[in-house]
Amino acid sequence: FVADHKDVAILWYNIATCCLEMGEEETAIKLYKETLRVERKVLGERHNDVVLTLQHLGQVHQQRGELEEALGYFYRALDIEREKKGSIAVGKLLNLIGNIHLQHAKVDKMMECYTEASRIFRRRGQQGDVLVVAGYNFYDLSKLHPACAAIA
């Protein structure tokens, strides 16, 4: 048994996802962080699996209303994806970041992200409906994220 191996990272990732689906967010975060540690060690900092794990960590934190933590993970994933010219993942990450800016009521930053994401989607031949403007529990934003209530 080799503790730091790509197959172990896959196992941690799958268990984390199951925990998340069962509502065990705290355990999921711990396991996604362990996944990330192993992936970085065995696959390198810029690997697609690292980006995916960073994105999942960001989404869990966003779901929990921990928006600053979510932004940190999304921006780290975005930095890696920007190095890959023409990646549609950049647009998807910008969309996620834009949604957090919406939840923070930072309209200028939100629109910058949405605009850049839309341009990427169009250049890649995606339809205009690829951009998703929403937050988690969108209709309850005023309860979960009071800063955005005036914008919503």
Side-chain angles (χ1 to χ4, degrees):
F1 180 83
V2 178
D4 290 336
H5 187 274
K6 68 178 182 165
D7 292 340
V8 173
I10 293 169
L11 180 62
W12 285 133
Y13 181 88
N14 289 336
I15 294 171
T17 302
C18 289
C19 289
L20 183 60
E21 291 295 320
M22 295 185 321
E24 298 175 15
E25 294 170 340
E26 208 51 53
T27 302
I29 288 171
K30 289 177 186 175
L31 292 174
Y32 280 134
K33 285 182 179 181
E34 181 61 15
T35 301
L36 189 60
R37 183 194 68 75
V38 174
E39 287 173 342
R40 284 176 166 160
K41 183 174 181 179
V42 299
L43 302 173
E45 189 70 29
R46 305 276 182 236
H47 193 274
N48 287 339
D49 290 351
V50 170
V51 173
L52 187 61
T53 302
L54 287 168
Q55 184 175 327
H56 274 84
L57 275 162
Q59 288 172 318
V60 174
H61 283 289
Q62 183 180 17
Q63 185 174 318
R64 292 168 53 104
E66 300 163 353
L67 302 180
E68 292 305 316
E69 290 89 346
L71 273 177
Y73 286 110
F74 289 150
Y75 274 119
R76 279 182 249 156
L78 181 63
D79 288 343
I80 296 168
E81 285 298 330
R82 281 196 188 276
E83 293 176 1
K84 303 172 191 173
K85 304 294 182 202
S87 172
I88 194 115
V90 170
K92 291 178 181 179
L93 285 161
L94 285 167
N95 191 166
L96 291 168
I97 292 167
N99 286 337
I100 291 180
H101 290 311
L102 168 65
Q103 290 175 276
H104 275 147
K106 295 180 180 175
V107 177
D108 291 343
K109 288 183 176 185
M110 174 196 76
M111 289 307 297
E112 286 175 25
C113 290
Y114 288 162
T115 301
E116 186 179 351
S118 293
R119 287 181 181 143
I120 290 168
F121 293 149
R122 268 185 301 213
R123 279 195 306 263
R124 299 284 298 182
Q126 299 292 319
Q127 298 300 320
D129 61 350
V130 171
L131 189 67
V132 177
V133 180
Y136 284 92
N137 299 316
F138 187 66
Y139 294 105
D140 295 327
L141 280 176
S142 61
K143 287 184 190 175
L144 294 174
H145 308 290
C148 73
I151 302 302

